[in-house]
Amino acid sequence: DTSKHVLLYQMGHFLGLKTPHSGDNTNTTGKLKTTETVMSWTYDETQTDFTLLDKRAIKEIWEEAMAAYGITRNAPGNNEE
């Protein structure tokens, strides 16, 4: 439903995603659909998870942020395999 999509959309912003309509974004056409990113303004209410594109972008954003602070996936105390 709409409220679930709005929550997912806002979570995307919280995690660093931008809309494909943002002026500084690489999607110059601004026509990505929700099937490509939940950050699109044209959405499908059945979209209940981030798309593969969204997940890749989130991973890239957070890997860059972690690297800026010298945090790596294999840092001491990081139990991720």
Side-chain angles (χ1 to χ4, degrees):
D1 70 47
T2 302
S3 61
K4 288 180 183 176
H5 181 268
V6 170
L7 179 61
L8 190 62
Y9 177 89
Q10 293 303 330
M11 286 174 48
H13 277 303
F14 178 78
L15 292 170
L17 297 179
K18 296 180 181 181
T19 64
H21 314 286
S22 299
D24 61 347
N25 219 319
T26 57
N27 177 30
T28 55
T29 62
K31 296 184 181 188
L32 286 175
K33 303 289 185 235
T34 304
T35 54
E36 299 169 75
T37 176
V38 297
M39 302 308 293
S40 175
W41 291 343
T42 59
Y43 67 93
D44 174 358
E45 291 182 1
T46 63
Q47 186 71 30
T48 59
D49 195 4
F50 292 112
T51 66
L52 182 58
L53 180 65
D54 295 326
K55 291 174 184 178
R56 286 179 178 166
I58 291 167
K59 182 177 185 237
E60 184 176 317
I61 290 165
W62 285 95
E63 282 179 346
E64 287 178 14
M66 290 171 59
Y69 287 96
I71 302 169
T72 64
R73 292 182 66 126
N74 299 320
N78 186 346
N79 296 326
E80 187 175 325
E81 298 293 322

